[in-house]
Amino acid sequence: MGSNFIHHPDGWVGTTAWWKDAVFYQVYPASFQDSNGDGWGDIPGLISRIDYLHRLGVDVVWLSPMFESPQQDMGYDISDYQAVYSRYGTLEDVDQLIEVCHSRGMKLILDLVVNHTSDQHPWFKESRSSKTNPKRDWYIWKPPRYDSAGNRMPPTNWRGYFAGSTWTWDEKTEEYYLNLYGPFQPDLNWENAECRAAIYDVAMRFWLDRGVDGFRIDTVNKYSKRTDFPDAPITCPDVPHQPAPEMWCNGPRIHEFIHEMQTQVLGPYNAVSVGELSNTPLPEQVLPYVSAAARELDMVFEFSMIRLGTGNLFHGKYIYQPFPLSALKRHVETWQTFIEGTDGWHTVFCENHDNGRAVSRFGDDSTPELWEASAKTIALWQITSTGTLFLYQGQEIGMRNMPESWGIEEYKDVESLGFYNEVLETGDEKRIQATLHGLRILARDHSRIPFQWDDSPNAGFTEEGVTPWMRVHDQYRELNAAKQLDDPESVFSFYAKALRLRKEYRDIFAHGPFKLLEPENEALFIYIKESDARVSSSTTEDTDTKRKALVVMNFTKSVQECPDVSGALGCRKGEESLLMSTVRSGQLALETCDELKPWEGRVYLNFRP
């Protein structure tokens, strides 16, 4: 049941890096809490909600970009690394946020966006001012090519993430500059040592000196590009620009650059680091970034699982591709096991600011009953997984995608609109409708609608009568934090209790080896977690048997047969014990029930606490 939790008296055992056991919580500041009635979330609003996060069990707040910016990509286009965008607040507000976090035993990390800047950044303004400017080489400039008819062409045929070419023509100096994302986001040239030194000083040490505890590092594997700039192979013959991630992801000097960042900045400050590692689907590619011996990053986000359902990353990304449960399980197994026997580490997440809501993608939000059940089961899956746990704002109350009835006019994201407008130009009505369908499931916009605090106008995000920057979800009166805080068996309460158990049983859940059972079962997600002896030497009464947990989850809306629990755990029947379940009190006699309700999840132990 939602309240069927058993307290484990041993608490945290052993020692390890603090961030391995921590719960990180991402705050998207524009959408979290507006304090001054301008319809835009801000840092004082976040400060006013810190006790909410503390009550949930958050150890580290990750604040998405709040730096000075023209806001063409929601702050991922930075024009001043040392200033705060005025609608978010001031430097003094950040200082206060650091203080209120630290006073509660919490930490704060910021987003580090240093693959590119805004085209309004002073560095780029200098760089584009002339070919002889000292900062010209701080960005990547190339002369044009010309076809046989004399028409000017970009230096390569690479396609960018937001559609179109990765190159933008500059009339004044008559060269192209590289921008993997929007034309307003020119890429910095990490080959230039002076540029790297400025990044370390201006964008990193400045904030670490103020007391920030580390960084989530945006696009961390894109700093080293192919410097010979070849054309990409023609894989999409019907369009002029071709997917080319192999030209800029995991480039020839990337490990040199990140090791330098670690040794010059992150290490001396003892700053925690988590990198965004895209287009890196193989464990042997990822491990060098997170190996402790390599001294690069503490951990990274790998996106194979969270990308399930998306189409081609560069063409047709939002043409939704349905997937079976077995596909999800294969990805989870790969990334739950890839660090075993190594000195690497892993992250656990199923939501962020760049994806649709987990309960709408991996769960079932079609009815209130299935919404709550699947939101709790997703929570159970995340909380019992090995690695550092990252939650995204609203995940803990089961926030869902924007209603399907909302039109394209409610979508604000530059990527969503870029892909939609591109397909609109084709006039292909079938493809247009398929893209709209995919956007309703996958778009980045879903995670960015205002947080649903209560049932007052504007969901408590901003004042009554104010028009928020994004529309508030139609169902905020039924789904909001205040309603769940008063319910001991709500989604929020389930998260809060399960997070405490994750720490109490850290040797099993945060650190324990993972073993997938029944990989082809399309209804049940079942795995064994075993105690990691490096974290805890606790065992059951049989000293030859390690502490184990069996996680059983029904990922369907139908009743399913519960597997043989004692057999899976390797103990005598009746010796297993139920640690937690997603079902509300009084609905089932859980320990004797042989059936799993729709979207029910349970965790059994092979010992009695």
Side-chain angles (χ1 to χ4, degrees):
M1 66 191 83
S3 57
N4 193 339
F5 292 80
I6 299 170
H7 177 71
H8 179 242
D10 294 343
W12 291 23
V13 182
T15 59
T16 190
W18 66 265
W19 40 266
K20 291 187 176 181
D21 299 308
V23 175
F24 287 66
Y25 184 101
Q26 182 184 0
V27 170
Y28 199 72
S31 301
F32 196 60
Q33 179 67 69
D34 173 21
S35 71
N36 59 7
D38 68 352
W40 190 277
D42 47 48
I43 296 169
L46 168 57
I47 291 170
S48 74
R49 298 293 188 178
I50 285 294
D51 285 332
Y52 166 86
L53 300 182
H54 192 244
R55 174 174 172 176
L56 175 62
V58 171
D59 301 300
V60 185
V61 176
W62 154 23
L63 182 60
S64 290
M66 78 304 168
F67 311 100
E68 186 62 64
S69 166
Q71 298 295 329
Q72 290 186 266
D73 185 19
M74 291 305 296
Y76 285 91
D77 50 324
I78 296 172
S79 56
D80 187 341
Y81 286 108
Q82 298 184 349
V84 177
Y85 179 55
S86 60
R87 296 186 79 175
Y88 287 141
T90 64
L91 281 174
E92 290 71 28
D93 291 330
V94 178
D95 291 340
Q96 185 182 358
L97 176 60
I98 294 168
E99 192 280 325
V100 298
C101 286
H102 288 177
S103 68
R104 289 160 176 78
M106 301 163 67
K107 298 180 186 293
L108 176 70
I109 67 170
L110 302 182
D111 237 298
L112 181 64
V113 186
V114 290
N115 175 72
H116 49 264
T117 67
S118 165
D119 61 357
Q120 299 306 303
H121 195 289
W123 294 349
F124 186 70
K125 288 182 177 181
E126 283 194 56
S127 184
R128 78 187 310 178
S129 65
S130 76
K131 292 182 181 179
T132 58
N133 186 278
K135 288 189 173 62
R136 180 66 169 185
D137 193 44
W138 285 31
Y139 294 83
I140 300 171
W141 294 91
K142 292 293 172 188
R145 296 187 298 180
Y146 294 89
D147 64 16
S148 58
N151 298 308
R152 190 186 73 234
M153 297 170 56
T156 71
N157 65 348
W158 302 351
R159 174 190 166 95
Y161 284 93
F162 293 164
S165 174
T166 59
W167 298 96
T168 298
W169 177 248
D170 179 63
E171 288 287 352
K172 181 176 182 180
T173 59
E174 295 188 322
E175 284 192 330
Y176 285 90
Y177 62 85
L178 182 71
N179 52 270
L180 298 185
Y181 294 89
F184 50 87
Q185 292 165 301
D187 278 50
L188 288 159
N189 181 15
W190 276 69
E191 298 286 331
N192 185 299
E194 289 184 359
C195 178
R196 297 199 306 274
I199 288 168
Y200 301 153
D201 195 45
V202 172
M204 299 179 72
R205 292 189 187 98
F206 174 82
W207 292 105
L208 293 168
D209 286 338
R210 298 186 87 93
V212 166
D213 299 290
F215 300 100
R216 175 267 186 183
I217 308 178
D218 188 61
T219 61
V220 76
N221 60 332
K222 297 176 182 173
Y223 305 156
S224 175
K225 279 80 170 178
R226 283 274 300 269
T227 56
D228 52 345
F229 296 99
D231 271 347
I234 305 297
T235 56
C236 299
D238 56 334
V239 295
H241 309 299
Q242 300 299 308
E246 69 277 9
M247 303 299 175
W248 60 72
C249 284
N250 311 310
R253 297 184 67 188
I254 190 63
H255 293 291
E256 174 191 343
F257 293 155
I258 299 177
H259 180 71
E260 181 182 83
M261 180 191 288
Q262 169 62 229
T263 55
Q264 293 197 17
V265 187
L266 295 171
Y269 282 89
N270 197 28
V272 65
S273 58
V274 53
E276 180 190 32
L277 201 72
S278 63
N279 299 303
T280 310
L282 302 176
E284 57 267 29
Q285 296 174 307
V286 174
L287 189 59
Y289 288 95
V290 297
S291 165
R295 297 183 64 201
E296 293 189 18
L297 300 169
D298 293 325
M299 49 193 161
V300 296
F301 297 125
E302 195 287 323
F303 295 104
S304 296
M305 187 278 295
I306 206 171
R307 297 284 190 222
L308 280 169
T310 61
N312 181 291
L313 186 59
F314 291 88
H315 286 289
K317 177 179 179 179
Y318 289 107
I319 305 241
Y320 184 68
Q321 308 292 320
F323 58 91
L325 176 61
S326 56
L328 184 149
K329 291 193 288 187
R330 282 195 298 272
H331 284 302
V332 172
E333 180 182 32
T334 296
W335 298 105
Q336 281 289 284
T337 59
F338 95 102
I339 60 170
E340 291 179 9
T342 77
D343 63 349
W345 193 243
H346 182 53
T347 56
V348 179
F349 70 105
C350 65
E351 285 198 24
N352 62 24
H353 64 293
D354 283 337
N355 290 276
R357 290 290 185 175
V359 73
S360 299
R361 295 183 59 206
F362 306 118
D364 188 335
D365 63 0
S366 60
T367 68
E369 295 77 20
L370 295 178
W371 158 76
E372 180 182 283
S374 62
K376 288 181 178 180
T377 292
I378 289 169
L380 191 69
W381 160 37
Q382 295 292 288
I383 287 165
T384 58
S385 294
T386 301
T388 298
L389 180 60
F390 285 77
L391 303 178
Y392 180 74
Q393 66 181 45
Q395 180 180 339
E396 77 282 3
I397 60 171
M399 281 183 64
R400 52 168 64 100
N401 278 357
M402 294 155 35
E404 291 188 8
S405 60
W406 288 11
I408 192 66
E409 69 277 3
E410 301 294 350
Y411 290 74
K412 311 295 184 186
D413 176 49
V414 61
E415 181 180 88
S416 298
L417 296 178
F419 275 86
Y420 177 72
N421 289 331
E422 183 180 49
V423 73
L424 203 62
E425 291 176 3
T426 69
D428 184 338
E429 188 60 32
K430 184 177 179 180
R431 194 168 178 85
I432 292 170
Q433 291 305 314
T435 300
L436 278 172
H437 172 70
L439 286 170
R440 293 186 183 110
I441 301 170
L442 302 167
R444 307 198 303 182
D445 304 78
H446 298 297
S447 60
R448 303 178 182 189
I449 62 174
F451 193 98
Q452 293 152 221
W453 289 107
D454 56 41
D455 61 2
S456 65
N458 283 322
F461 163 72
T462 190
E463 299 171 5
E464 183 176 4
V466 172
T467 301
W469 78 279
M470 281 194 79
R471 180 175 170 180
V472 173
H473 201 289
D474 296 345
Q475 297 173 320
Y476 73 87
R477 293 179 181 83
E478 294 77 43
L479 199 173
N480 60 70
K483 184 175 182 179
Q484 294 193 23
L485 287 170
D486 294 334
D487 181 354
E489 298 188 75
S490 65
V491 176
F492 176 92
S493 296
F494 184 87
Y495 265 99
K497 293 170 184 176
L499 287 173
R500 291 195 295 271
L501 283 176
R502 175 178 171 84
K503 289 178 178 177
E504 291 172 356
Y505 292 89
R506 63 195 276 268
D507 59 306
I508 300 175
F509 299 135
H511 296 266
F514 171 100
K515 181 181 179 183
L516 180 65
L517 305 181
E518 300 188 28
E520 301 306 318
N521 189 322
E522 301 294 357
L524 299 182
F525 192 176
I526 312 169
Y527 49 87
I528 296 280
K529 294 299 299 293
E530 186 176 277
S531 175
D532 186 336
R534 294 170 297 179
V535 179
S536 170
S537 59
S538 300
T539 64
T540 61
E541 292 181 6
D542 179 354
T543 56
D544 294 327
T545 305
K546 285 187 176 180
R547 291 150 47 99
K548 292 181 182 179
L550 176 69
V551 182
V552 184
M553 297 174 290
N554 179 4
F555 265 59
T556 76
K557 60 179 65 179
S558 304
V559 172
Q560 300 291 329
E561 182 180 351
C562 187
D564 177 5
V565 174
S566 58
L569 287 171
C571 60
R572 290 187 292 269
K573 190 168 182 63
E575 289 185 348
E576 74 279 1
S577 60
L578 181 72
L579 180 66
M580 52 180 154
S581 167
T582 59
V583 178
R584 283 182 168 249
S585 300
Q587 292 188 357
L588 279 177
L590 291 168
E591 293 202 61
T592 60
C593 182
D594 293 327
E595 291 184 334
L596 292 160
K597 293 173 67 69
W599 284 102
E600 180 185 353
R602 304 178 195 170
V603 179
Y604 290 93
L605 301 175
N606 68 340
F607 61 95
R608 294 191 175 275

